[in-house]
Amino acid sequence: MLDPKKVRLGMCPIGWSNDDMWDLGDENTFQQCVSEMALAGFTGSEVGHKYPEDKVVLKHMLDVRGMTIASKWFSSFLVDKPYEEVEAEFIKELEYLKYVGATAINISEQSGSIQGKTDVSILDMENKRVLTDEEWTRLCEGLNKLGKLSLEKYGIRSCFHHHMGTVVQTVEETTRLMENTDPKYVFLCFDTGHFTFAGEDPVKMLEKFADRVGHVHLKNMRMPIVEKVRAEHWSFLDAVRNGAFTVPGDPDGCVQFDDVFELLDKAGYEGWIMVEAEQDPAKANPFEYAKMARAYIKEHTGL
């Protein structure tokens, strides 16, 4: 299952040092992070806030470890800002990513996002921004332009990242975006955890859009924690601090990854599969969890 010539495995640094709450993992260095990723058996990473801004330095530090950058998060504001302003920032990221060998850029629309607000309940839907038809048109047309630019000029897939607390969180919203963007230029960053957190079935979504997937985040969920998030009206960041997310292979998790692997294989997926689980490294040792995830993936896919 899954062709090792077409699928590569990586891990995101957010388990070592959190990009939204810098106190989580502040003690962990960039070099420790990428060294432990490599020791655990991964060959790719995404870019975290501790990574060198100098692309030459970054590439060298990864090359000596037999690793590369797979992708990077990009906060778009296509709904609330002029397209030209967003594109200028996008190009800066593409230049950086092209040099370090990335194949994808993960776009998340941050207009109206509540994911970083510590005093806003993430699962109370009345707190979430809902786009108008006009705003949907602006978002989708902007993504088509960004996707065409990234693929044709840089050879990098623009992969849209549905995310908790954003205007594209649910299956309905993700479906609308996929159906109103150009499949040649806009791909899906498929995240098992964010669909599960939103109360959706990630497998059903993958059944529908497997041929649009350009990048994969394997994220597991501790559902008893998610229920506390709902009952106690926690913010997204509260959920992270309290361990809502974990890695594939953790017996505390609930995501059915075998179905995900099977669907990706059936669709002939080519690209990176990234383990991503933002946890407090003081509670969940990132190296131990990296090894746990890697062993699980090998057992269940042969990769």
Side-chain angles (χ1 to χ4, degrees), residues 205-266:
M205 195 62 181
L206 188 55
E207 287 173 347
K208 190 170 185 177
F209 289 112
D211 62 336
R212 294 286 297 276
V213 174
H215 197 68
V216 175
H217 283 169
L218 293 186
K219 189 194 299 281
N220 212 346
M221 300 298 303
R222 296 184 176 98
M223 289 310 292
I225 304 298
V226 174
E227 290 309 312
K228 287 195 75 173
V229 174
R230 186 183 307 279
E232 300 182 17
H233 307 284
W234 290 354
S235 69
F236 178 74
L237 299 184
D238 288 333
V240 171
R241 282 189 182 277
N242 285 279
F245 297 123
T246 185
V247 300
D250 186 340
D252 291 340
C254 69
V255 176
Q256 300 299 312
F257 290 102
D258 283 337
D259 294 336
V260 172
F261 296 143
E262 184 177 349
L263 287 168
L264 289 172
D265 181 50
K266 190 179 297 184

Side-chain angles (χ1 to χ4, degrees), residues 86-303:
V86 178
E87 184 186 87
E89 293 299 317
F90 191 61
I91 288 171
K92 291 178 186 177
E93 299 288 11
L94 290 172
E95 297 284 354
Y96 180 90
L97 289 172
K98 178 70 174 179
Y99 184 85
V100 296
T103 58
I105 183 167
N106 303 331
I107 303 173
S108 175
E109 180 60 25
Q110 290 294 295
S111 297
S113 173
I114 61 170
Q115 70 191 65
K117 295 185 176 182
T118 57
D119 59 344
V120 178
S121 173
I122 195 67
L123 287 177
D124 290 342
M125 293 299 287
E126 63 267 22
N127 295 329
K128 188 177 136 0
R129 180 171 175 180
V130 176
L131 297 183
T132 66
D133 289 344
E134 181 185 356
E135 289 170 336
W136 269 110
T137 298
R138 191 151 63 245
L139 173 60
C140 292
E141 289 180 351
L143 288 172
N144 284 339
K145 292 178 184 177
L146 295 180
K148 188 174 190 294
L149 170 67
S150 68
L151 192 62
E152 293 188 348
K153 187 172 182 180
Y154 297 92
I156 292 174
R157 293 171 176 169
S158 285
C159 301
F160 191 86
H161 192 341
H162 57 98
H163 198 286
M164 293 298 298
T166 71
V167 294
V168 185
Q169 169 180 301
T170 65
V171 160
E172 181 181 0
E173 290 162 343
T174 308
T175 298
R176 182 167 181 174
L177 186 135
M178 289 286 101
E179 290 180 347
N180 288 277
T181 50
D182 192 331
K184 296 194 302 293
Y185 299 124
V186 179
F187 299 84
L188 179 65
C189 175
F190 173 73
D191 190 302
T192 55
H194 279 279
F195 277 136
T196 304
F197 199 162
E200 310 282 13
D201 185 341
V203 173
K204 287 183 178 178
M205 195 62 181
L206 188 55
E207 287 173 347
K208 190 170 185 177
F209 289 112
D211 62 336
R212 294 286 297 276
V213 174
H215 197 68
V216 175
H217 283 169
L218 293 186
K219 189 194 299 281
N220 212 346
M221 300 298 303
R222 296 184 176 98
M223 289 310 292
I225 304 298
V226 174
E227 290 309 312
K228 287 195 75 173
V229 174
R230 186 183 307 279
E232 300 182 17
H233 307 284
W234 290 354
S235 69
F236 178 74
L237 299 184
D238 288 333
V240 171
R241 282 189 182 277
N242 285 279
F245 297 123
T246 185
V247 300
D250 186 340
D252 291 340
C254 69
V255 176
Q256 300 299 312
F257 290 102
D258 283 337
D259 294 336
V260 172
F261 296 143
E262 184 177 349
L263 287 168
L264 289 172
D265 181 50
K266 190 179 297 184
Y269 175 71
E270 297 185 26
W272 286 97
I273 291 180
M274 308 295 295
V275 173
E276 185 189 39
E278 45 265 62
Q279 302 190 81
D280 181 348
K283 300 175 183 176
N285 182 278
F287 184 43
E288 292 181 14
Y289 276 78
K291 292 194 296 181
M292 181 191 299
R294 187 64 187 90
Y296 177 89
I297 293 169
K298 182 175 182 179
E299 178 185 352
H300 287 253
T301 69
L303 291 173

